Amino acid sequence: MQTALTYGFYIALAATFVVLVLGIVNIVRQDDRQASRSNQLMRMRVLFQFIAVLFLIGIGFAAGALNWG
């Protein structure tokens, strides 16, 4: 269980990094859809960060480092 959560965390982390790089590349582009695309990429980055944090919390529970009570 913990191994699957760890893999999921790394995948979410990599997805966050890819979207971050795409956002930086988008800043350099100069077209009429640049602002809209930048906003969409920012939303995707926040979503992937949220998923990564959820995986990290799941790893903490699976490892016994976090408890409900």
Side-chain angles (χ1 to χ4, degrees), residues 19 22-24 26-27 32-47:
V19 173
L22 288 173
I24 292 171
N26 186 53
I27 291 173
D32 55 344
R33 293 197 51 223
Q34 188 262 346
S36 174
R37 197 171 35 249
S38 180
N39 192 11
Q40 185 180 20
L41 287 169
M42 181 178 61
R43 289 179 185 174
M44 287 176 54
R45 182 182 52 83
V46 169
L47 175 67

Side-chain angles (χ1 to χ4, degrees), residues 4 6 11 17 19 22-23 35 37-38 41 43 48 53-55 63:
T6 303
I11 290 169
F17 179 74
V19 173
L22 288 173
R37 197 171 35 249
S38 180
L41 287 169
R43 289 179 185 174
F48 287 138
V53 168
L54 289 180
F55 273 116

Side-chain angles (χ1 to χ4, degrees), residues 5-26:
L5 290 172
T6 303
Y7 286 142
F9 171 71
Y10 284 128
I11 290 169
L13 198 64
T16 302
F17 179 74
V18 168
V19 173
L20 179 64
V21 170
L22 288 173
I24 292 171
V25 168
N26 186 53

